[in-house]
Each structure stands twice: as structure tokens, then as C-alpha cells.
């Protein structure tokens, strides 16, 4: 059976081969061959065509397709590409970019070197191996300022707490007065008693708002003194301490170089270190002078501000708890404190607490 199938398949294959003729494609005009055909005038040798072929500079690009007109024919000799031998000098933008990059690199290099020296000096001071410049009088004044700032921050925190608690009490008195007034209208048998208490609570509420105005002014002034004036002086002190550390770092570097050999390379490094030492010494002395001046002005300003604020606080508290409404109002006028009139659209400082 298997042999019979093979025979049938071979027979069908022979039939198909006889029915399909062998196809050959021939060029209509000429056939190209490597050696040409002898005696055939229309055939050219491929080698001859390659040698005597058209010049590429004289060929044309036809944009209209096969059979198009001569319009749109662009000679290739008119097409010029960029010259490979043109000068490649950098432009102004490239030079500016390169200059910025070099400047940033130099800044990073100086910052890294300065950070290394300062860190080395700080570690040496912490472990007791390095020496530091000490101004005993100035450092004592700085320590007094920091301690004073901590105590004033405590006063500020307690004054704010007093304001919040007293504001809650005034609000309670206001609500209690409104309740007494309502009950006075609805309870004829106790109208007079409720009326007296309503008037008392309203008066206390009015005086309480006046006292809150004085306390709020006191809190605002202390806050400005602590968080702006003192903080500004402490920022200058921080800059002074950083300058002191840099000055000691470059001073130690110069002293270390002076202990080494005196060859040409070392002398150049000593000269550079001497220049850096002088620069940081001038910076240190300038900031030291700024700190001394700011400490002096801060002390004068602190005495002036606290004298006024403590007098205000004392007079307002005394007048309120003595029930002296006129003296309490006179205290606010003395210090030019104006309360928000009732009915204004903008929320008062009482509502913002």
C-alpha cells in the first residue's frame, strides 16, 4: 500500500511538470552579462559600462516621475553639503557655558576645601587637641543673651496662655449676661435680680475686653522683641561663630605649614595659606565688631521696650481687678491702644486667638 502511494505521487508530479512551461524573463532592449554576447551589437560589456559610466556630478534628480517634463529637474552639481573642512571655533554661547561650568567647579572646590578644614578644626576642638580663639567677655555676653531669650520665651508663652484663658472667661461672662437678661424678661417675679446680674456681667465683659486689648498688645511687643530683634542678633552671632571656626581652621593650617620644610613648593603653599588666613581674620574681626554693636543696641532696646510693656501690664491688671473702668480706659489711651469697634466685619484679635 505504501509503495502504491509513492507511485501515484510520482505520477502526478510528472504530469504537473509537463503542463507548466519553463518561464524566462528577458529584458526588452538589452541583456547584461559580465562577458557580453559575441556578435550581438545591442549588448554592452558590464565592465565597459562601469568604466565609461555617466559622471555622478552630471546626473539629475527627476521630481516628476517617469515621462515627466524637464521642469523640476535639479542638477546634482548645485546641491552642496556642509564642508567637512570648515573651521570649528566655539561660539560665544559655548564659551559662556564653559565659563559658568568652570566657575561652578571652582566654587564647589573652594566650598569642599573650606568644609574639610572647618570639620577638621571642629573635631580637634571637641577632642581637646586643637586650639580655639576665645573672647571671654564677648562669649559671656552671648551666653547672657541666650539665657535671657529663654526666659522671655517663657514669659511670652505664659502671657499667651493668660490671654486664651481670660478670653474664655470673657466669653462666658458675655453668655451669662445674655442669659440673665433673657430670664429678666421672662421671670417677672425675679426681674430686678436677673437685671442687676445681667448689668454686672456686661460691665465685667466690657472691662475684660479692654484688659484683653492691653494684654494682647503686651504679647505682640514681647513676641517682636524675642522672635525678631533677639533672633536677628543671634543670627549675627551664629555667623560670627562660623567665622571664628574658619579663622582658627586656616590659622592652624598656616601654623602646620610653617613647621614643615622650606622648599619652593611649600613656600608657595605658605604664601597662599597666609592670604587665606588674612581674609578669614578680617572677616572674623568684622563680624566680632558687628556682634558687639548689636548686643549693645539690643540691650538698650530691650530695656526701653520692657519698661513700657511692664508698666502697661501692671496698670491694666491693677485697674481691672480694682474695678476702675476709667483708669483702665486711660491706660489704653496712654499707650495708644485702640480696640476694634463692635459690629465690624473683620474678626477682631479676640476671635483670632
Amino acid at each position: 500500500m505504501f509503495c502504491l502511494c509513492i507511485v501515484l505521487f510520482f505520477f502526478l508530479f510528472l504530469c504537473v511538470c509537463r503542463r507548466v512551461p519553463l518561464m524566462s524573463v528577458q529584458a526588452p532592449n538589452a541583456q547584461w552579462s559580465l562577458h557580453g554576447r559575441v556578435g550581438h551589437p545591442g549588448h554592452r560589456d558590464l565592465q565597459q559600462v562601469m568604466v565609461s559610466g555617466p559622471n555622478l556630478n552630471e546626473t539629475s534628480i527627476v521630481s516628476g516621475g517617469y515621462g515627466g517634463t524637464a521642469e523640476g529637474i535639479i542638477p546634482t552639481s548645485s546641491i552642496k553639503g556642509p564642508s567637512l573642512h570648515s573651521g570649528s571655533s566655539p561660539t560665544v554661547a559655548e564659551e559662556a557655558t564653559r565659563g559658568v561650568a568652570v566657575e561652578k567647579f571652582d566654587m564647589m572646590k573652594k566650598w569642599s576645601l573650606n568644609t574639610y578644614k572647618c570639620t577638621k578644626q571642629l573635631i580637634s576642638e571637641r577632642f581637646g587637641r586643637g586650639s580655639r580663639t576665645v573672647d571671654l567677655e564677648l562669649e559671656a555676653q552671648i551666653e547672657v543673651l541666650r539665657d535671657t531669650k529663654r526666659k522671655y520665651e517663657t514669659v511670652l508663652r505664659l502671657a499667651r496662655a493668660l490671654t486664651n484663658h481670660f478670653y474664655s472667661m470673657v466669653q462666658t461672662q458675655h453668655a451669662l449676661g445674655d442669659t440673665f437678661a433673657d430670664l429678666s424678661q421672662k421671670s417677672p417675679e425675679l426681674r430686678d435680680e436677673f437685671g442687676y446680674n445681667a448689668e454686672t456681667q456686661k460691665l465685667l465683659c466690657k472691662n475684660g475686653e479692654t484688659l484683653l486689648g492691653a494684654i494682647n498688645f503686651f504679647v505682640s511687643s514681647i513676641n517682636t522683641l524675642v522672635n525678631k530683634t533677639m533672633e536677628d542678633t543671634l543670627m549675627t552671632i551664629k555667623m560670627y561663630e562660623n567665622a571664628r571656626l574658619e579663622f582658627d581652621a586656616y590659622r592652624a593650617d598656616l601654623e602646620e605649614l610653617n613647621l614643615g620644610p622650606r622648599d619652593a613648593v611649600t613656600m608657595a603653599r605658605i604664601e597662599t595659606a597666609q592670604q587665606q588666613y588674612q581674609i578669614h581674620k578680617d572677616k572674623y574681626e568684622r563680624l566680632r565688631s558687628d556682634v558687639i554693636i548689636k548686643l549693645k543696641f539690643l540691650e538698650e532696646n530691650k530695656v526701653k521696650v520692657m519698661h513700657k510693656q511692664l508698666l502697661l501690664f501692671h496698670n491694666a491688671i491693677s485697674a481691672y481687678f480694682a474695678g476702675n473702668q476709667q483708669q483702665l480706659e486711660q491706660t489704653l489711651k496712654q499707650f495708644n491702644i485702640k480696640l476694634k469697634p463692635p459690629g465690624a466685619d473683620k474678626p477682631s484679635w479676640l476671635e483670632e486667638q
Side-chain angles (χ1 to χ4, degrees):
M1 188 66 181
F2 178 76
C3 295
L4 181 61
C5 292
I6 294 175
V7 172
L8 291 175
F9 177 80
F10 184 74
F11 179 76
L12 291 174
F13 177 76
L14 290 177
C15 292
V16 170
C17 291
R18 288 184 178 183
R19 287 172 180 258
V20 179
L22 182 62
M23 303 285 300
S24 62
V25 180
Q26 296 180 357
N29 295 325
Q31 294 181 352
W32 302 92
S33 65
L34 292 175
H35 301 287
R37 295 180 59 182
V38 180
H40 197 289
H43 295 270
R44 301 176 62 185
D45 193 326
L46 181 58
Q47 295 181 356
Q48 182 181 359
V49 172
M50 295 176 63
V51 173
S52 62
N55 189 0
L56 293 178
N57 293 328
E58 298 177 357
T59 58
S60 301
I61 299 177
V62 182
S63 60
Y66 180 77
T69 61
E71 297 178 359
I73 300 178
I74 306 174
T76 57
S77 58
S78 63
I79 302 177
K80 297 181 180 180
S83 177
L84 297 178
H85 301 286
S86 60
S88 58
S89 59
T91 61
V92 177
E94 292 176 350
E95 292 180 354
T97 304
R98 187 180 298 109
V100 172
V102 172
E103 182 179 357
K104 290 184 177 180
F105 177 77
D106 292 339
M107 292 176 59
M108 181 62 66
K109 181 180 179 181
K110 293 179 180 178
W111 176 84
S112 301
L113 181 61
N114 185 73
T115 303
Y116 166 74
K117 292 181 181 294
C118 292
T119 304
K120 179 182 177 182
Q121 176 66 22
L122 182 62
I123 294 175
S124 300
E125 292 178 3
R126 291 289 176 85
F127 286 95
R129 293 196 300 266
S131 60
R132 62 187 298 265
T133 303
V134 179
D135 190 332
L136 296 177
E137 182 179 359
L138 182 58
E139 291 189 1
Q141 294 178 5
I142 293 173
E143 188 59 32
V144 169
L145 171 60
R146 287 172 174 160
D147 184 63
T148 303
K149 184 174 183 293
R150 286 191 293 267
K151 293 178 179 179
Y152 275 48
E153 286 174 346
T154 303
V155 172
L156 180 61
R157 175 175 54 82
L158 294 175
R160 283 173 172 169
L162 176 63
T163 303
N164 294 331
H165 296 323
F166 199 77
Y167 172 74
S168 299
M169 187 185 74
V170 171
Q171 292 296 100
T172 304
Q173 288 175 340
H174 188 277
L176 189 58
D178 291 342
T179 304
F180 284 156
D182 184 62
L183 289 173
S184 175
Q185 297 295 328
K186 296 180 180 179
S187 304
E189 67 281 1
L190 297 173
R191 177 177 300 173
D192 295 337
E193 289 79 1
F194 278 126
Y196 296 151
N197 283 277
E199 291 297 329
T200 302
Q201 294 301 320
K202 288 182 180 180
L203 180 60
L204 290 174
C205 181
K206 180 181 179 181
N207 293 340
E209 290 179 351
T210 306
L211 177 61
L212 279 173
I215 297 177
N216 186 71
F217 186 77
F218 174 81
V219 170
S220 176
S221 300
I222 299 299
N223 179 68
T224 302
L225 177 63
V226 172
N227 293 322
K228 291 185 178 180
T229 309
M230 290 185 177
E231 189 64 29
D232 178 70
T233 304
L234 289 175
M235 287 296 296
T236 306
I237 291 174
K238 185 177 181 180
M239 295 170 59
Y240 157 74
E241 292 176 343
N242 291 335
R244 196 278 309 165
L245 182 63
E246 292 179 350
F247 167 66
D248 285 337
Y250 283 91
R251 176 182 56 80
D253 186 36
L254 180 60
E255 292 175 353
E256 183 179 354
L257 289 174
N258 286 328
L259 296 176
R262 295 286 178 163
D263 54 1
V265 177
T266 306
M267 292 301 297
R269 293 179 59 188
I270 290 175
E271 183 179 356
T272 303
Q274 181 68 36
Q275 294 175 357
Q276 293 296 322
Y277 165 80
Q278 190 63 39
I279 292 173
H280 288 86
K281 181 181 179 181
D282 295 340
K283 180 181 178 182
Y284 163 74
E285 292 179 349
R286 183 178 67 254
L287 287 172
R288 178 178 175 273
S289 177
D290 292 345
V291 169
I292 293 174
I293 294 173
K294 283 198 172 186
L295 285 174
K296 180 181 178 181
F297 285 130
L298 175 62
E299 185 64 24
E300 295 176 356
N301 187 34
K302 181 192 70 174
V303 172
K304 182 179 178 180
V305 169
M306 291 308 299
H307 175 76
K308 177 181 178 180
Q309 296 304 317
L310 290 174
L311 184 62
L312 165 68
F313 191 81
H314 174 268
N315 292 344
I317 292 290
S318 300
Y320 172 81
F321 284 100
N324 193 338
Q325 181 181 359
Q326 294 181 354
Q327 183 181 355
L328 182 59
E329 293 177 353
Q330 185 64 30
T331 300
L332 268 67
K333 291 180 181 179
Q334 180 183 356
F335 293 95
N336 298 322
I337 302 174
K338 296 181 180 180
L339 298 178
K340 172 183 172 291
D345 296 333
K346 184 178 179 180
S348 64
W349 54 268
L350 294 173
E351 300 173 355
E352 294 175 352
Q353 295 297 324

